[in-house]
Amino acid sequence: MNNYFLQLKKDIPNDIGWIRRILSYVFDWYIGGMIASLPVIVIYMMLHQDATYIPQNLSIFHAPYNIIAGSLSFIVASGYYVLVPMFVFKGQTLGKKIFHLKIIANNYDEVTNKQLFIRQFIMILLVEGSVFTSSNMLHQLLQVVTGLNIPKYYAYFGIFMTLISVILMIVLKSRRPLHDLFADTREVYLESNDYTYYQKKRKKVKRKSGK
């Protein structure tokens, strides 16, 4: 364990800006929330054509529509957070694309789909996802299926893990939160000095190995 923390201290520093990263996060949070809300809105309006206000809560549905709405909500939101950086903009959600940020491997290689799945789906949506609408829908869905008060306790757990991530971003020079540590990734600003340096270094290595 001590060796692991020593390794984290020796990790490559990251000069990513806080404001840019926060703006990207807020943008993705908003877009992801809108996408996650669509199935709930569409299904409720199909059942109640005179609806003027639709709360984002599965309790407004009777079975089996609560399970259908919750499942579709989580699936489409997962598509935005997971499939977009996997197959549309490699290493980027729309927010990261707009603000010129990218998820890469911690050694500055191109990120793999396995790393993105661990980072975006397992860690962000399942472990740290209490503040995301998509994760909240999953929590409500689990409550519907099990009958247990899942959202309350899952939310406490998610907030706790998110706080740990924030502390790690502040303490570590690599600015890597919990989801980056588990996935062996990091988030970088594409025009930063460190990203430009390591990209040039990788190209030189590739040229030499190709000779």
Side-chain angles (χ1 to χ4, degrees), residues 36-193:
S37 300
L38 285 177
V40 176
I41 293 172
V42 171
I43 293 174
Y44 193 80
M45 290 186 69
M46 288 173 62
L47 299 173
H48 306 84
Q49 296 182 5
D50 58 341
T52 57
Y53 172 71
I54 306 172
Q56 300 304 304
N57 196 310
L58 296 185
S59 63
I60 63 177
F61 296 101
H62 296 293
Y65 297 107
N66 50 4
I67 295 177
I68 295 172
S71 299
L72 288 177
S73 177
F74 183 70
I75 289 170
V76 296
S78 297
Y80 176 74
Y81 289 112
V82 182
L83 298 183
V84 169
M86 275 187 178
F87 303 110
V88 181
F89 308 121
K90 189 64 175 180
Q92 295 176 299
T93 55
L94 186 57
K96 296 187 194 309
K97 184 77 173 176
I98 292 172
F99 291 98
H100 303 282
L101 301 176
K102 187 176 182 178
I103 304 164
I104 61 173
N106 190 43
N107 61 359
Y108 281 79
D109 283 339
E110 194 74 21
V111 69
T112 66
N113 284 345
K114 180 181 178 181
Q115 288 175 307
L116 285 171
F117 182 79
I118 294 172
R119 185 188 196 273
Q120 298 294 106
F121 185 78
I122 296 177
M123 293 304 299
I124 290 182
L125 289 183
L126 298 187
V127 177
E128 302 176 41
S130 294
V131 295
F132 291 99
T133 302
S134 53
S135 296
N136 181 257
M137 284 296 168
L138 175 63
H139 303 167
Q140 292 185 50
L141 184 61
L142 291 174
Q143 181 177 13
V144 169
V145 174
T146 64
L148 301 175
N149 190 7
I150 299 292
K152 177 182 178 181
Y153 299 107
Y154 211 145
Y156 290 151
F157 173 74
I159 291 171
F160 175 72
M161 300 305 283
T162 300
L163 286 175
I164 292 177
S165 277
V166 172
I167 292 171
L168 288 171
M169 281 195 293
I170 295 172
V171 172
L172 297 178
K173 293 182 179 180
S174 61
R175 304 294 178 238
R176 296 171 67 206
L178 205 58
H179 45 266
D180 278 326
L181 294 180
F182 270 82
D184 197 28
T185 56
R186 66 169 55 210
E187 190 171 332
V188 295
Y189 176 43
L190 292 177
E191 298 170 24
S192 64
N193 293 328

Side-chain angles (χ1 to χ4, degrees), residues 4-53:
Y4 179 72
F5 285 113
L6 287 174
Q7 186 62 41
L8 289 181
K9 289 182 179 180
K10 296 178 182 179
D11 214 348
I12 302 169
N14 194 341
D15 57 359
I16 187 172
W18 286 104
I19 295 178
R20 187 178 296 273
R21 194 168 191 176
I22 291 172
L23 289 174
S24 170
Y25 177 88
V26 171
F27 183 91
D28 282 331
W29 175 83
Y30 181 75
I31 297 298
M34 287 182 60
I35 293 172
S37 300
L38 285 177
V40 176
I41 293 172
V42 171
I43 293 174
Y44 193 80
M45 290 186 69
M46 288 173 62
L47 299 173
H48 306 84
Q49 296 182 5
D50 58 341
T52 57
Y53 172 71

